[in-house]
């Protein structure tokens, strides 16, 4: 994405920051950068790093680092939100409200808080496919992708076997 001119940012608790991130983008406060973003692409949320010492859990993370109505309000009306990471980071009622009110232009989701989508999901209110696109969470569904995945796994098994035989 950087080769296309995109600026990449990482957000989350400062304790999670690693200098390795600097090779790919910049660590920043989410609330500070939201007004600048044309596209906000959420790729990964590491709930496994939450613990009671920091006061985070799967259920409470979205209130601190997730996408809520107040955060959509900070975004440009032309902004596009993409969630390709984890469903629970998005407050779906707030996203539906933001899309209906024009706080943001559009959203694309590959994940939902609850899959399959329930009949009461507030995103069902959005009928305009130019405002909301939801794809099935099937990134590894194509034959080519599954073949590639199986080849990766096979290679890992072969490497493990070589290592254990050498012991």
């Amino acid at each position: 994405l950087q080769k296309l001119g995109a600026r990449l940012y990482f957000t989350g608790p400062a304790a999670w920051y690693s200098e390795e991130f600097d090779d790919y983008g910049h660590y920043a406060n989410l609330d500070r950068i939201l007004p600048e973003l044309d596209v906000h692409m959420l790729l990964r949320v590491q709930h496994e790093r939450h613990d009671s010492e920091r006061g985070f859990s799967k259920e409470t993370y979205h209130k601190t680092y997730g996408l809520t109505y107040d955060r959509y309000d900070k975004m440009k009306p032309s902004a596009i939100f993409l969630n390709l990471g984890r469903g629970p980071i998005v407050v779906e009622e707030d996203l539906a409200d933001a899309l209906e009110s024009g706080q943001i232009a559009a959203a694309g989701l590959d994940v939902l808080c609850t899959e399959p989508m329930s009949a009461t999901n507030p995103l069902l209110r959005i009928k305009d496919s130019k405002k909301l696109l939801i794809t099935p969470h099937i990134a590894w569904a194509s034959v080519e992708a599954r073949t590639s995945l199986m080849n990766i796994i096979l290679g890992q098994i072969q490497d493990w076997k070589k290592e254990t035989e050498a012991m």
Side-chain angles (χ1 to χ4, degrees), residues 45-52 55-64 66 86-90 113:
V45 176
Q46 296 181 327
H47 293 304
E48 65 271 15
R49 289 192 177 178
H50 304 169
D51 58 47
S52 58
F56 295 121
S57 69
K58 250 185 195 178
E59 294 74 29
T60 61
Y61 182 86
H62 73 274
K63 292 176 184 169
T64 305
R86 299 286 189 269
I89 195 73
V90 176
C113 288

Side-chain angles (χ1 to χ4, degrees), residues 9 11 29-42 65-83 89-91 94-99 101-109 131:
Y9 295 101
T11 64
N29 176 281
L30 179 61
D31 292 313
R32 186 189 63 73
I33 62 171
L34 280 175
E36 302 173 22
L37 301 178
D38 295 311
V39 177
H40 180 182
M41 187 177 350
L42 178 63
Y65 294 103
L67 273 289
T68 59
Y69 191 80
D70 292 338
R71 289 211 167 103
Y72 293 118
D73 199 36
K74 293 177 182 179
M75 296 171 77
K76 296 177 185 179
S78 59
I80 298 169
F81 171 65
L82 302 173
N83 185 5
I89 195 73
V90 176
V91 179
D94 291 356
L95 176 57
D97 290 346
L99 290 167
S101 69
Q103 281 178 285
I104 62 171
L109 308 174
K131 282 200 159 284

